[in-house]
Amino acid sequence: MSRKIALATLDAADRELVEMAGDESRHAYAPYSGFAVGAAVRTRSGKTYTAANLENASYGLAICAEVAAIAAANAAGDFEVESIAIAGHKFKLPQDSTQVVTPCGRCRQVIFEAAQVSETNVRVFSCNGDLSEIVESTISELLPAAFGPANFGIDAAWLKMRETLHAAVTKLRANRSR
C-alpha cells in the first residue's frame, strides 16, 4: 500500500536516490511547461542512473525523466531496476514545489516492463520539489493488472533473448574488425 514517508526516515541508499532525483531536476529542458522533473533509478547492481525531462516544441516528442533514467540503465547494460525516485516542481512563476509528482501512464508502463525483466516489484518514490513530501509505492500499486511481457508469453524468455542479442553484436563486431 502506498505510504507517505519523511526523507529523514529513509535508509541511506533510498535517501540518496530521492536526493539525486531532486537534484537532477536542475537539468530539465522544460521551456514549454515550466515543470522540471528529475528521476533516479537504482539497479540490482547498486548503481544509480539519473535523468531529467526533455521537452520539445512538438509536445508528443517530449521525453520523461523516468523513461530517460531507465533508458540510461539499459544503455549501460544494467537493466535490473529495483527502485526509482521522481521529483518535480514548477519553476515558472508562480513557482510551486508542493505537489507530489507521480509517474505518468507511459512511465508507469515502462517501469512495469523493467520490473518484469528484473523480476521485482519496483519501488517508486514520488516526491515534491523540496522533498518534504514523499510517497512510496510499488509499480504494481501504481499500475494494477498491467499489460506486459507475460501477456506475450515472453516474461522468462528475455534473458535467453538478451544472450542471443549479445552474441549477435559480438559476431558483428568481430566481422567488422576483419
Side-chain angles (χ1 to χ4, degrees):
M1 177 177 301
S2 295
R3 63 187 180 102
K4 288 186 177 184
I5 52 177
L7 184 63
T9 64
L10 293 173
D11 67 27
D14 289 342
R15 183 183 178 116
E16 179 182 37
L17 188 72
V18 165
E19 288 175 339
M20 290 175 83
D23 290 346
E24 190 64 24
S25 71
R26 83 180 96 187
H27 299 296
Y29 176 72
Y32 306 103
S33 70
F35 200 87
V37 179
V41 168
R42 187 176 52 240
T43 62
R44 189 166 287 136
S45 72
K47 292 182 181 173
T48 304
Y49 302 88
T50 62
N53 58 320
L54 177 68
E55 293 181 350
N56 189 280
S58 173
Y59 278 99
L61 296 179
I63 300 170
C64 297
E66 300 93 310
V67 170
I70 290 171
N74 182 61
D78 193 11
F79 196 53
E80 293 184 346
V81 175
E82 289 188 329
S83 301
I84 185 169
I86 304 101
H89 53 94
K90 184 178 176 213
F91 63 89
K92 281 186 178 179
L93 295 177
Q95 294 179 343
D96 182 14
S97 64
T98 62
Q99 302 300 311
V100 171
V101 177
T102 60
C104 71
R106 177 180 132 202
C107 290
R108 291 176 192 212
Q109 183 66 40
V110 170
I111 295 166
F112 175 77
E113 186 99 5
Q116 293 293 287
V117 170
S118 304
E119 297 180 325
T120 189
N121 196 7
V122 172
R123 294 169 53 227
V124 180
F125 297 96
S126 300
C127 312
N128 66 352
D130 66 6
L131 309 181
S132 63
E133 286 192 53
I134 302 168
V135 176
E136 180 183 7
S137 309
T138 61
I139 191 56
S140 63
E141 291 170 326
L142 294 175
L143 191 63
F147 183 84
N151 296 95
F152 290 104
I154 62 166
D155 48 329
W158 174 245
L159 296 177
K160 182 67 176 160
M161 291 170 70
R162 183 170 52 190
E163 290 173 15
T164 302
L165 171 62
H166 289 188
V169 171
T170 299
K171 183 178 177 182
L172 289 169
R173 291 179 71 203
N175 289 340
R176 243 190 349 242
S177 62
R178 288 184 189 170

